[in-house]
């Protein structure tokens, strides 16, 4: 029951296979902050104290949303102005014979009823907005204690086998990707160096536990512990989800290698999409049994 309520409060995924919950704390950080989400292990989330923090966070998030809506509303046209504009348009349509006096009267009745309802709702919202529920700084720090490595990230999303992809943003807005292994409860690939996605070609870990990371220094293959198992290339791409890779060397030529760096096709090709490299990759793929290794 508590897990269900947490899901409703925080809009977090709590499926049977999940090992973490992702907590949106953007309402506590203010505009321009890159600390937006926390990743909490389910064993830590299933406590009365964290549940109470989640309730407090939901109240504060509602308060922030209401005050922002109130501010936006005050900067726009009033309801009365909008109603008068609508009536003016109806009068123009009446002159053209497209509407009748009865149509205009019906619109007035409907809009007046809506204005009364809106006024009641705005009064309730104004009352809520006048009572902030908590100290955002203290609440944020209390939630941070439950997060993996006591950290917040720009974004986070769950993958399979207990892995959570996290993203940070640098001061100039650049994205850096990393991973949390929920089975051990810590960050295994720091989100401070690698762009895990590169031109949409590298989607995540293979099902045997490898991933490609790109950085300003080149491309590497990492395993689930964060250990670099292959480096020294400008670019690396998994080929057809299998255990061979298209690789680009320092001379910007392309060839094909395996996970150990053994050269299976010489670095003589000018492009990763060249017909000659594709034919070589197809041949090597079949020679290696044609067994695909699915990417999550």
């Amino acid at each position: 029951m508590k897990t269900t309520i947490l899901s409703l409060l925080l809009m977090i995924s709590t499926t049977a296979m999940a090992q973490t919950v992702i907590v949106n704390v953007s309402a506590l950080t203010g505009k321009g902050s890159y600390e937006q989400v926390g990743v909490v292990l389910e064993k830590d989330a299933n406590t009365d104290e964290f549940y109470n923090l989640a309730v407090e966070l939901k109240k504060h998030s509602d308060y922030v949303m209401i005050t922002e809506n109130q501010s936006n509303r005050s900067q726009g046209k009033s309801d009365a102005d909008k109603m008068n504009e609508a009536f003016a348009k109806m009068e123009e349509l009446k002159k053209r014979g497209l509407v009748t006096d009865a149509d205009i009267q019906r619109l007035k009745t409907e809009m007046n009823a809506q204005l009364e309802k809106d006024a009641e709702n705005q009064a309730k919202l104004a009352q809520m907005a006048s009572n902030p529920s908590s100290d955002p700084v203290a609440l944020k720090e209390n939630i941070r204690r439950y997060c993996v490595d006591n950290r917040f990230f720009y974004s986070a999303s769950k993958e399979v086998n207990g892995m959570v992809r996290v993203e940070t943003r640098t001061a100039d807005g650049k994205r850096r990707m990393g991973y949390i292994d929920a089975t051990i409860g810590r960050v295994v690939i720091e989100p401070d160096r690698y762009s895990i996605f590169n031109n949409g070609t590298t989607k995540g870990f293979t099902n045997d536990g490898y991933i490609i990371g790109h950085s300003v220094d080149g491309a590497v293959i990492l395993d689930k512990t964060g250990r670099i198992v292959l480096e020294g290339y400008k670019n690396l791409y998994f080929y057809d989800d299998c255990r061979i890779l298209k690789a680009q060397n320092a001379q910007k030529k392309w060839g094909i290698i395996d996970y150990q760096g053994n050269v299976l096709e010489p670095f003589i090709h000018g492009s990763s999409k060249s017909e000659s490299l594709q034919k070589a990759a197809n041949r090597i793929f079949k020679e290696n049994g044609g067994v695909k290794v699915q990417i999550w």
Side-chain angles (χ1 to χ4, degrees):
M1 179 61 70
K2 186 184 295 181
T3 298
T4 302
I5 295 175
L6 278 172
S7 182
L8 293 173
L9 286 173
L10 300 176
M11 298 180 67
I12 53 181
S13 174
T14 54
T15 58
M17 294 298 291
Q19 294 172 297
T20 59
V21 294
I22 296 171
V23 184
N24 186 339
V25 296
S26 57
L28 304 175
T29 60
K31 295 185 182 298
S33 172
Y34 291 149
E35 289 190 336
Q36 296 193 134
V37 299
V39 180
V40 181
L41 301 181
E42 280 191 351
K43 67 179 180 62
D44 298 324
N46 290 324
T47 66
D48 290 338
E49 184 178 356
F50 185 80
Y51 171 77
N52 291 333
L53 290 174
V55 173
E56 193 176 349
L57 173 61
K58 178 63 167 61
K59 288 180 179 178
H60 186 81
S61 298
D62 289 345
Y63 162 74
V64 170
M65 179 184 69
I66 290 166
T67 52
E68 286 181 350
N69 288 342
Q70 294 281 60
S71 175
N72 292 336
R73 189 181 182 89
S74 67
Q75 295 173 15
K77 293 181 179 179
S78 69
D79 290 335
D81 288 339
K82 292 177 182 177
M83 186 169 68
N84 290 332
E85 287 181 357
F87 291 157
K89 290 179 180 178
M90 291 293 285
E91 289 293 342
E92 289 295 324
L93 293 174
K94 177 185 172 182
K95 292 177 182 179
R96 294 161 56 187
L98 299 177
V99 299
T100 65
D101 285 332
D103 293 327
I104 295 176
Q105 187 57 47
R106 184 167 57 252
L107 175 64
K108 286 183 178 180
T109 301
E110 292 174 353
M111 291 190 72
N112 281 324
Q114 185 62 48
L115 281 176
E116 291 180 4
K117 185 177 180 180
D118 287 346
E120 292 178 2
N121 289 335
Q122 289 304 313
K124 292 178 181 178
L125 293 177
Q127 179 62 31
M128 294 176 64
S130 66
N131 295 300
S133 59
S134 59
D135 174 9
V137 175
L139 179 55
K140 180 179 176 181
E141 290 309 306
N142 284 333
I143 293 173
R144 187 194 300 273
R145 293 189 293 110
Y146 283 87
C147 298
V148 172
D149 287 354
N150 302 125
R151 295 167 65 183
F152 293 117
F153 304 94
Y154 183 80
S155 68
S157 59
K158 295 181 182 180
E159 298 190 1
V160 299
N161 296 340
M163 301 297 287
V164 180
R165 188 180 75 247
V166 292
E167 175 185 336
T168 60
R169 294 284 178 100
T170 60
D172 57 359
K174 292 182 179 179
R175 302 168 60 186
R176 294 290 180 265
M177 305 290 185
Y179 276 86
I180 290 173
D181 186 344
T183 60
I184 60 176
R186 64 180 179 84
V187 176
V188 290
I189 299 178
E190 280 290 337
D192 60 358
R193 181 178 181 184
Y194 299 111
S195 171
I196 300 299
F197 295 112
N198 189 36
N199 299 326
T201 56
T202 305
K203 299 179 180 179
F205 282 91
T206 62
N207 63 1
D208 53 353
Y210 295 97
I211 194 169
I212 294 173
H214 289 85
S215 74
V216 294
D217 299 320
V220 299
I221 293 183
L222 305 109
D223 63 18
K224 286 181 62 177
T225 70
R227 180 177 63 92
I228 294 175
V229 298
L230 183 66
E231 59 185 334
Y233 299 91
K234 290 186 66 66
N235 281 295
L236 290 170
Y237 300 129
F238 292 116
Y239 171 75
D240 203 15
D241 295 2
C242 74
R243 294 183 183 182
I244 61 174
L245 303 109
K246 292 182 178 181
Q248 185 185 39
N249 64 13
Q251 289 72 43
K252 297 186 177 180
K253 292 295 184 178
W254 288 86
I256 298 174
I257 61 175
D258 60 18
Y259 284 11
Q260 289 72 47
N262 298 312
V263 177
L264 306 178
E265 171 68 15
F267 286 84
I268 57 175
H269 306 272
S271 167
S272 64
K273 298 181 180 180
S274 69
E275 182 179 354
S276 59
L277 184 65
Q278 189 68 22
K279 286 182 178 179
N282 290 337
R283 171 179 53 78
I284 295 168
F285 178 60
K286 291 178 181 178
E287 290 173 355
N288 281 272
V291 179
K292 292 185 178 182
V293 176
Q294 186 176 12
I295 297 177
W296 299 349

